[in-house]
């Protein structure tokens, strides 16, 4: 019923985005291409499809032999404009996902944020002329930059092929936008009952004969970032991500989840939130507090967690098949004439 009520607004939104894309396609709106390879990682839908884990996967793939920079908008940061991350930054100044990448890769990768990618890229190159590639995080709709290689992500549980344009659905633009992608990666796939053939066929109705890959998340061991203790089998889970259900299902295989504090995606934690979580932990003997890596960087910026037994769980992208083919396609973008 709600979809039906919102559908007329979706038609208007669709017309606006189609008109915008048409103006870029015919060259009426400027789209810049750069000499340095630019790899875009994005999606059609609003919400999490695993863009940051995929960006990190590509960093691991390329950074050993190549000089890389990442460029993100820096969602919900308090600063404005172009910024190169440094040791004084945190999640509030550059955003949680860029700060997460800076903590993990900042020694080898130039991490930057900027709302206007076409303006930011020349600034990056001015300071780092030796770059081999720039990775654009969440830039599929940022048409002012024409990337060398475009990776479109879609969640297996909520594929763009069965979704609708905002506000009746979650798509930022029409499904036909998938035609701009060079490859499509289906993320968050289940380990069983995976219908690859049907979804691949559905995706190619919009993306043409582009390669389609299927991935899942590989959860790593818990890492302490508070009181340096070992995790117990009893867990209080704290999440501020778009869809924590896969994490919940994973943890249930190894731990007893006593309570979950479920906040909105990119939630800005407050002292009151932390007090509520710690109060609950004190009521339960021998319970540890577990959160995601993205939530950890925001909590770390708050600065009030280390006295307590907090742990975070890192995730990495794992290809279910043909991962080497994807790696080759990405690596080829850095081969210069």
């Amino acid at each position: 019923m709600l979809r039906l009520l919102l559908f007329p607004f979706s038609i208007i939104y669709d017309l606006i985005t189609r008109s915008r894309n048409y103006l870029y396609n015919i060259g009426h709106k400027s789209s810049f291409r750069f000499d340095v390879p630019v790899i875009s990682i994005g999606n059609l839908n609003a919400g999490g499809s695993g863009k940051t884990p995929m960006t990190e996967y590509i960093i691991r793939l390329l950074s050993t032999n190549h000089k890389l920079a990442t460029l993100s908008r820096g969602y919900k940061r308090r600063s404005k404009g172009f910024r190169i991350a440094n040791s004084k930054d945190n999640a509030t100044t550059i955003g949680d996902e860029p700060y997460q990448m800076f903590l993990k890769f900042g020694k080898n990768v130039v991490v930057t944020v900027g709302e206007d990618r076409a303006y930011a890229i020349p600034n990056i190159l001015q300071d780092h002329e030796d770059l081999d590639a720039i990775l654009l995080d969440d830039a599929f709709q940022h048409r002012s930059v024409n990337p060398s290689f475009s990776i479109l992500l879609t969640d297996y549980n909520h594929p763009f092929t069965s979704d609708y344009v905002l506000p009746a659905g979650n798509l930022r633009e029409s499904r036909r936008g998938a035609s701009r992608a060079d490859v499509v990666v289906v993320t968050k796939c289940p380990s069983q009952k995976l219908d690859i053939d049907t979804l691949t066929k559905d995706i190619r109705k919009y993306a043409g004969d582009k390669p389609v890959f299927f991935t899942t998340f590989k959860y790593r061991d818990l890492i302490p970032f508070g009181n340096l203790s070992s995790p117990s089998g009893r867990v209080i889970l704290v999440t501020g991500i778009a869809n924590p259900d896969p994490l919940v299902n994973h943890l249930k295989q190894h731990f007893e989840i006593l309570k979950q504090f479920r906040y909105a995606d990119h939630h800005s934690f407050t002292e009151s939130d932390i007090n509520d979580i710690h109060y609950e932990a004190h009521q339960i003997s021998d319970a540890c507090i577990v959160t995601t890596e993205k939530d950890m960087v925001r909590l770390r910026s708050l600065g009030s967690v280390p006295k307590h037994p907090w742990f975070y769980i890192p995730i990495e992208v794992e290809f279910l098949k043909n991962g080497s083919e994807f790696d080759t396609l990405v690596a080829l973008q850095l081969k210069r004439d």
Side-chain angles (χ1 to χ4, degrees):
M1 180 61 70
L2 182 59
R3 283 185 184 274
L4 288 174
L5 291 173
L6 294 174
F7 191 73
F9 298 98
S10 291
I11 294 175
I12 297 171
Y13 185 90
D14 186 30
L15 288 173
I16 294 171
T17 55
R18 283 174 188 264
S19 299
R20 176 179 180 270
N21 283 326
Y22 175 74
L23 292 175
Y24 274 110
N25 292 342
I26 65 173
H28 185 75
K29 280 181 169 287
S30 298
S31 185
F32 298 96
R33 197 172 184 96
F34 297 90
D35 290 337
V36 64
V38 175
I39 300 174
S40 169
I41 303 101
N43 54 9
L44 288 177
N45 64 293
S49 296
K51 295 182 291 295
T52 299
M54 177 55 68
T55 303
E56 293 185 355
Y57 177 90
I58 296 173
I59 290 173
R60 292 188 184 94
L61 174 66
L62 300 177
S63 61
T64 301
N65 299 314
H66 299 282
K67 182 71 173 178
L68 305 177
T70 66
L71 174 57
S72 309
R73 179 178 57 164
Y75 183 66
K76 293 191 77 171
R77 62 187 172 118
R78 295 178 185 173
S79 61
K80 297 292 183 181
F82 174 69
R83 188 181 185 96
I84 298 178
N86 61 65
S87 59
K88 296 181 181 179
D89 280 311
N90 56 39
T92 63
T93 59
I94 60 173
D96 52 8
E97 290 159 339
Y99 186 50
Q100 176 180 318
M101 287 188 279
F102 179 73
L103 289 176
K104 297 169 77 169
F105 306 109
K107 293 182 179 179
N108 301 311
V109 175
V110 180
V111 176
T112 70
V113 294
E115 299 88 349
D116 186 342
R117 271 75 161 192
Y119 169 80
I121 290 175
N123 280 274
I124 296 172
L125 296 175
Q126 183 176 350
D127 290 339
H128 300 277
E129 297 178 354
D130 58 341
L131 287 179
D132 295 310
I134 297 174
L135 310 182
L136 299 187
D137 184 13
D138 194 11
F140 196 76
Q141 285 74 37
H142 204 90
R143 299 292 307 275
S144 62
V145 172
N146 184 7
S148 314
F149 192 69
S150 182
I151 302 169
L152 177 66
L153 308 183
T154 188
D155 187 331
Y156 180 90
N157 303 291
H158 305 283
F160 74 86
T161 55
S162 58
D163 206 346
Y164 301 90
V165 173
L166 290 164
N170 292 312
L171 296 185
R172 300 171 176 176
E173 60 175 297
S174 163
R175 300 171 190 172
R176 291 183 176 87
S179 63
R180 299 198 307 274
D182 293 294
V183 299
V184 179
V185 179
V186 183
T187 64
K188 305 182 184 180
C189 294
S191 57
Q192 299 177 344
K193 298 181 179 179
L194 184 64
D195 192 351
I196 288 179
D197 293 338
T198 299
L199 187 50
T200 299
K201 183 178 178 181
D202 289 344
I203 288 171
R204 285 182 171 159
K205 292 178 183 176
Y206 306 99
D209 59 354
K210 309 295 175 55
V212 180
F213 299 92
F214 289 78
T215 66
T216 189
F217 281 155
K218 178 167 58 178
Y219 291 93
R220 294 299 191 181
D221 293 336
L222 297 182
I223 298 176
F225 72 102
N227 189 335
L228 296 178
S229 60
S230 299
S232 67
R234 294 152 58 85
V235 163
I236 294 171
L237 180 59
V238 179
T239 60
I241 57 176
N243 179 19
D245 293 342
L247 172 59
V248 172
N249 294 333
H250 170 77
L251 289 175
K252 282 181 176 179
Q253 300 175 33
H254 306 279
F255 302 93
E256 179 186 4
I257 300 178
L258 304 173
K259 184 176 178 64
Q260 181 179 357
F261 288 85
R262 185 167 180 162
Y263 300 96
D265 194 20
H266 296 280
H267 176 70
S268 297
F269 289 97
T270 65
E271 292 291 348
S272 177
D273 295 331
I274 304 304
N275 290 338
D276 290 343
I277 296 166
H278 288 166
Y279 175 82
E280 194 68 33
H282 288 315
Q283 308 307 307
I284 305 170
S285 61
D286 132 20
C288 64
I289 307 169
V290 175
T291 192
T292 69
E293 188 170 16
K294 188 168 78 169
D295 291 313
M296 178 273 293
V297 300
R298 278 180 271 122
L299 288 161
R300 177 170 171 165
S301 298
L302 194 62
S304 60
V305 170
K307 297 179 182 178
H308 300 272
W310 283 77
F311 297 82
Y312 70 92
I313 183 165
I315 57 174
E316 293 181 7
V317 169
E318 185 174 56
F319 281 79
L320 298 180
K321 67 174 189 176
N322 299 335
S324 59
E325 179 184 341
F326 176 86
D327 294 352
T328 299
L329 287 172
V330 173
L332 284 173
Q333 308 311 311
L334 275 65
K335 301 293 184 181
R336 302 200 179 184
D337 295 336

